[in-house]
Amino acid sequence: MAEILFPALFVLLALGVPVAFAMAISVFVALSFGSSYPSLVVVKEMFTGLDSFPLLAVPFFILAAEIMTGGAVTLAILRLAQSLVGHLKGGLGHANVLSSAMFAGISGSALADAAGPGSMMIKMMEKGGYDRPYAGALTMASAVVGPIIPPSITMIIYAMQDQHVSVGSLFMAGVLPGLLITGLVMAANARVSHLRGYVSGEAMPPLAEILRIAVYAVPALLLILLIVGGIRFGIFTPTEASVIAVFYALVVGMFVYRSLRIRDLPAIILRAALVAGAVLLILGAARAFAWVLIIEGLPQFLAQTIISWDLSPIVFLLAVNLLLLVFGLFMDPLPGVMILVPILAPISLALGIDPNHFAILVIVNLTFGLCTPPVGSLIFVVASTANLRPSALIREMPPFFLALAAALLLITFVPVLSTWLPGVSGF
């Protein structure tokens, strides 16, 4: 069936069929023409893939992010980022990157980062003298930390595929790599701003003003501490944490920032339901796709073949980087995790690679694919938000591709970036 499955998938993706439908249809075609299994298996496996208690965290985290991304919360984060770095050369660009890192602790999604504070920062940067395509490219590069800094939907899905890691350990493992990516993207912005003369016209605010802005933003930023701290100390499970995050977001939005009203909730719930439905549809289709690979014995065959090559851990990690970067050109992170992790994670464990280190490597690689052509979702989200052609964004990306590549190499060769915080946190 595999000889039918993969060509069908690639043809459908090339025709522009959405990923979820492309995977489900390719499984249906493979079963119809390459096996004796009934086509109903596709539906059965999709439902099996979604019949999971930990998976309930996905729609609740999405709903919490939708509630928290109201105007007051987003503006509070933007004002804090601008007060901290807005006075530097390329300050508005730095504020864009820093606000994305802060917002990542609320949304857990690269697309939400780009569509939320990112869209507002593009307008601010254009008014500040930056080229709009450059502002859009910077927004794309900074938004990739969304699934890396906790909470992260991708990490929840990964933990369901690999029993050697937990959601809590992955949340802790993603903090330092996320901050590393943020710092390197800011360094790239500083370099480009120096070459192009993007200067800040603002003076550094007084310390008292910075403190006042920081205090105003604290309720929004406390969400990440609530989630990670509660999971770390065993107060609640990740699924329970997602529900608590919804109630916390409601309290903050209605009683702290007072930007959320009861009449806003139906529209917020509808948006969250649409996003969650799309995510769960992708996960269900990926489950059916992975089932075909398993019954074909492909994961076991690949694992035995790669182990027989007697690769060193470093060579294996470099090969995985190359494989995932190519895979990420055509596939979103969530189906990538569901399809590839059951194949690659056992091999990495057999080679003595720390499971948290390997998990972050996989997640970072696949997340970078969101801003690479031809099907990078961030390209189209930012192009739509900023009213730009995708080609204009891609032309501005080389400095940020170099920054992201440097981050990936550091994460690969310095495992302590991914293992130290889970270790000291008791995971």
Side-chain angles (χ1 to χ4, degrees), residues 24-50:
I25 294 172
S26 62
V27 173
F28 177 81
V29 172
L31 291 176
S32 299
F33 296 99
S35 79
S36 59
Y37 289 98
S39 301
L40 189 62
V41 170
V42 180
V43 179
K44 181 258 183 186
E45 287 301 320
M46 290 181 70
F47 274 97
T48 300
L50 300 179

Side-chain angles (χ1 to χ4, degrees), residues 46-341:
M46 290 181 70
F47 274 97
T48 300
L50 300 179
D51 185 16
S52 169
F53 177 73
L55 203 57
L56 286 173
V58 172
F60 282 112
F61 273 129
I62 291 173
L63 178 57
E66 285 290 341
I67 295 171
M68 289 289 282
T69 53
V73 175
T74 303
L75 287 175
I77 292 174
L78 290 179
R79 288 178 62 197
L80 177 59
Q82 194 166 356
S83 70
L84 293 174
V85 296
H87 61 283
L88 302 174
K89 179 174 287 189
L92 282 176
H94 292 324
N96 189 342
V97 180
L98 188 58
S99 63
S100 287
M102 294 178 183
F103 200 76
I106 296 174
S107 70
S109 165
L111 301 182
D113 272 19
S119 62
M120 299 176 69
M121 283 304 308
I122 290 173
K123 297 175 183 176
M124 293 172 62
M125 289 178 67
E126 187 177 16
K127 290 181 180 178
Y130 292 75
D131 296 328
R132 193 195 305 175
Y134 174 77
L138 179 60
T139 297
M140 285 170 48
S142 60
V144 299
V145 298
I148 299 169
I149 295 178
S152 166
I153 294 171
T154 307
M155 290 178 181
I156 295 171
I157 304 306
Y158 190 104
M160 293 173 60
Q161 309 304 314
D162 185 359
Q163 62 181 350
H164 296 95
V165 296
S166 67
V167 174
S169 70
L170 291 183
F171 278 6
M172 300 305 294
V175 173
L176 292 182
L179 295 178
L180 171 67
I181 295 169
T182 299
L184 290 174
V185 173
M186 290 179 72
N189 172 66
R191 177 60 178 169
V192 175
S193 297
H194 175 76
L195 294 175
R196 299 188 182 183
Y198 295 146
V199 297
S200 173
E202 300 182 3
M204 183 176 181
L207 181 59
E209 178 68 10
I210 295 177
L211 290 175
R212 186 185 67 80
I213 295 172
V215 169
Y216 185 70
V218 161
L221 298 177
L222 276 179
L223 181 61
I224 182 175
L225 295 179
L226 174 68
I227 294 171
V228 176
I231 295 173
R232 163 62 185 86
F233 294 107
I235 301 173
F236 37 70
T237 66
T239 304
E240 294 165 345
S242 66
V243 179
I244 291 170
V246 171
F247 281 98
Y248 179 83
L250 286 170
V251 171
V252 169
M254 296 179 71
F255 302 110
V256 178
Y257 292 114
R258 298 182 180 179
S259 61
L260 179 65
R261 293 161 295 187
I262 296 295
R263 65 173 178 267
D264 298 329
L265 290 179
I268 290 174
I269 293 172
L270 177 60
R271 289 199 303 271
L274 291 174
V275 174
V279 170
L280 294 175
L281 186 60
I282 290 173
L283 295 178
R287 162 72 185 197
F289 194 93
W291 174 81
V292 173
L293 299 181
I294 291 171
I295 64 172
E296 286 285 276
L298 190 60
Q300 300 89 328
F301 172 75
L302 289 177
Q304 293 171 2
T305 300
I306 294 174
I307 291 174
S308 69
W309 292 343
D310 197 23
L311 301 176
S312 69
I314 291 297
V315 174
F316 172 73
L317 289 178
L318 290 175
V320 167
N321 278 333
L322 181 60
L323 168 66
L324 294 177
L325 288 173
V326 173
F327 191 88
L329 295 175
F330 306 99
M331 191 71 71
D332 286 343
L334 293 181
V337 165
M338 293 193 69
I339 293 170
L340 294 177
V341 169

